[in-house]
Amino acid sequence: MSTDENRHEKDESHVYDGIVEHDNELPLWWQLTLYGAVAFAFFYWFGHRLGAIATPGQVYAVEVSAQRAADAERARARGAVDDATLATLGRDPATLAQGKQVFTTTCAPCHRADGGGVIGPNLTDAYWLHGSKPTDIFANVRDGVPAKGMPTWGPQLGVERVEDVVAYVLSIRNTNVPGGKPPQGELE
Ligand code: HEC
């Protein structure tokens, strides 16, 4: 069967500006792309509505957090506690969650649950008594300032949990929570 036989060159086909318009059957491949797209859209839409298909944003968020966890693990494995390591830990959601837990149980009595400060200074403003670099904060938490009422946490928490809580403190810097203690120290 030649393709021409598919064409029903009906009487009503007409000519306009020398172009002949026919009422041909649509090719099968064309119909398949159309109905295929309709079916795909239908399942995709319901997949999204029912949460069975992740949005590109969700996929991206999962990939980013996996990457940050891997970065954090590599940074810890390096062993050295430097600004880069602590900054990397400060971007890892799992480390931040652990750090927040330490903060809530250990630091909140003096620095308030949201870091706004009570006995201890506000950790969410841009003013620091002992420096705002990640390693400054790490040294501060590990060694404390016993004479001023900031305990020495290194021996009690161990390096890893000090790193966790410092990562958390880095993440709340400059968030300026409402009702925080007035600034102490230098603007950094
Ligand atoms: C018993 C109260 C108390 C507890 C508990 C406490 N701190 Fe402090 N913290 C202080 C005080 C007081 C200061 C201010 C020290 C000074 O004046 O030199 C301070 C200072 C700091 C600083 C330095 C702030 C700056 O401006 O440089 C950091 C960082 C800090 N604390 C983090 C923590 C973390 C993290 C924890 C929990 C592991 C914690 N603190 C637990 C009382 C406390």
Side-chain angles (χ1 to χ4, degrees):
M1 182 166 89
S2 85
T3 47
D4 276 353
E5 283 171 46
N6 278 335
R7 296 192 174 157
H8 309 295
E9 298 192 6
K10 293 181 185 158
D11 291 332
E12 56 268 31
S13 65
H14 68 282
V15 180
Y16 189 87
D17 270 359
I19 298 166
V20 187
E21 187 184 65
H22 297 292
D23 186 11
N24 290 328
E25 246 173 50
L26 291 162
L28 183 62
W29 67 262
W30 193 97
Q31 296 190 49
L32 285 179
T33 45
L34 173 68
Y35 297 123
V38 171
F40 176 79
F42 180 81
F43 286 111
Y44 201 69
W45 191 81
F46 274 102
H48 270 306
R49 301 302 293 178
L50 303 175
I53 301 171
T55 63
Q58 288 165 332
V59 172
Y60 179 73
V62 168
E63 283 174 8
V64 167
S65 77
Q67 184 58 45
R68 294 197 166 155
D71 288 346
E73 206 172 310
R74 222 172 311 123
R76 278 194 210 266
R78 267 211 319 271
V81 180
D82 51 26
D83 285 335
T85 302
L86 293 168
T88 304
L89 294 179
R91 286 190 292 269
D92 173 33
T95 302
L96 291 179
Q98 285 158 10
K100 184 175 185 175
Q101 211 178 341
V102 175
F103 193 88
T104 306
T105 53
T106 317
C107 323
C110 292
H111 290 283
R112 218 167 80 174
D114 62 4
V118 201
I119 300 162
N122 187 342
L123 300 177
T124 69
D125 62 13
Y127 293 81
W128 295 84
L129 291 162
H130 305 288
S132 66
K133 277 200 310 202
T135 39
D136 294 336
I137 297 174
F138 179 82
N140 233 307
V141 176
R142 183 190 56 196
D143 306 331
V145 192
K148 297 282 179 66
M150 165 69 178
T152 304
W153 294 107
Q156 196 172 322
L157 294 175
V159 173
E160 201 157 300
R161 281 200 290 162
V162 171
E163 284 175 341
D164 293 347
V165 79
V166 168
Y168 178 69
V169 170
L170 292 174
S171 76
I172 62 172
R173 274 188 315 180
N174 300 324
T175 55
N176 295 302
V177 294
K181 218 178 160 189
Q184 290 168 270
E186 306 275 315
L187 178 64
E188 305 237 353

